[in-house]
Amino acid sequence: MPGCDPPDAGPAVRAPRRGGGGPPPPADRDLGRRFAAADPSAVRDLYERFAGPVFTVAASRLRNRGFAEEAVQEVFAKAWRAAARFDPERPLGPWLYAIARRTAADIARRERRRPPTGPLPAALPGPEAAGFDDTWERWTVRCALRDLPESERELLRLTHYVGLTQAEIAARLGLPVGTVKSRVHRAHRRLAQGLAHLRDDR
């Protein structure tokens, strides 16, 4: 919201130092090599090793646990997409913390621009309370939503996050109710197709 910082999430936390110009320790170098090679087990190890520090970096900027948890999901999703370009001779920590600072800044700017829609939800637990599998599914859902056309993402947002009926959405967007129904159905179908692998993995 303009001129309104996100609500305080509690006492300030200290972010990791910005240093890290030297070579990575052997364990981190091995993890970095596996990660750069797109080893699926490496992303789990990366999360377990760095989720806490990344959360701390994000929380020190955002001052809200819910927003910081969202930033953690974004950071590891971005890192995984950039894995092939990562130089394993670089330390992993500073690379992830730089992504975390940029991601937190993006979320802070987004929240300053967003008009108020009601009270903010209660603070969410940090990543130390969330399992890897749950966090991975959230990343996957977020990526599937991003792949939808913007108009369909907006319809799903109004339906599931704002809680509007299809008639209310039609009135808000100036569309016939039938058009809203068909577009929501199409958006759900696309989303289900994008998430089909989650059902296959269970």
Side-chain angles (χ1 to χ4, degrees):
M1 292 178 285
C4 177
D5 291 330
D8 192 358
V13 289
R14 187 180 299 279
R17 295 177 181 272
R18 291 185 179 228
D28 281 4
R29 183 181 292 113
D30 176 67
L31 176 56
R33 287 171 179 164
R34 290 192 294 117
F35 181 71
D39 179 349
S41 67
V43 70
R44 181 186 296 271
D45 293 341
L46 190 78
Y47 177 82
E48 292 176 352
R49 169 77 171 79
F50 289 103
V54 166
F55 177 81
T56 298
V57 171
S60 69
R61 172 66 178 84
L62 294 166
R63 310 286 294 168
N64 177 280
R65 293 184 71 86
F67 294 147
E69 185 187 47
E70 178 185 351
V72 170
Q73 297 171 29
E74 291 278 354
V75 167
F76 284 94
K78 289 176 180 177
W80 183 241
R81 289 195 294 269
R85 300 192 301 276
F86 176 71
D87 178 1
E89 298 306 313
R90 294 174 55 195
L92 278 162
W95 180 65
L96 289 169
Y97 305 149
I99 298 173
R101 285 190 289 271
R102 291 194 297 269
T103 301
D106 289 344
I107 291 174
R109 282 193 293 271
R110 180 199 71 194
E111 292 305 313
R112 284 195 294 269
R113 292 194 301 266
R114 176 173 292 175
T117 57
L120 289 167
L124 299 176
E128 64 274 14
F132 174 84
D133 291 338
D134 180 59
T135 301
W136 183 258
E137 284 197 6
R138 293 183 189 180
W139 295 345
T140 305
V141 171
R142 190 180 298 275
C143 291
L145 284 168
R146 283 201 184 118
D147 288 340
L148 294 177
E150 184 177 353
S151 60
E152 293 183 5
R153 284 201 307 272
E154 177 64 8
L155 287 173
L156 293 185
R157 186 186 75 83
L158 294 173
T159 300
H160 297 291
Y161 292 94
V162 180
L164 299 183
T165 66
Q166 291 181 344
E168 290 169 334
I169 295 172
R172 174 176 290 201
L173 300 181
L175 296 170
V177 175
T179 300
V180 171
K181 287 182 178 180
S182 63
R183 290 182 181 178
V184 168
H185 177 74
R186 184 168 60 244
H188 281 135
R189 187 174 65 248
R190 286 187 207 266
L191 191 60
Q193 290 170 348
L195 298 174
H197 63 283
L198 292 181
R199 296 194 298 272
D200 297 338
D201 292 340
R202 292 185 186 279

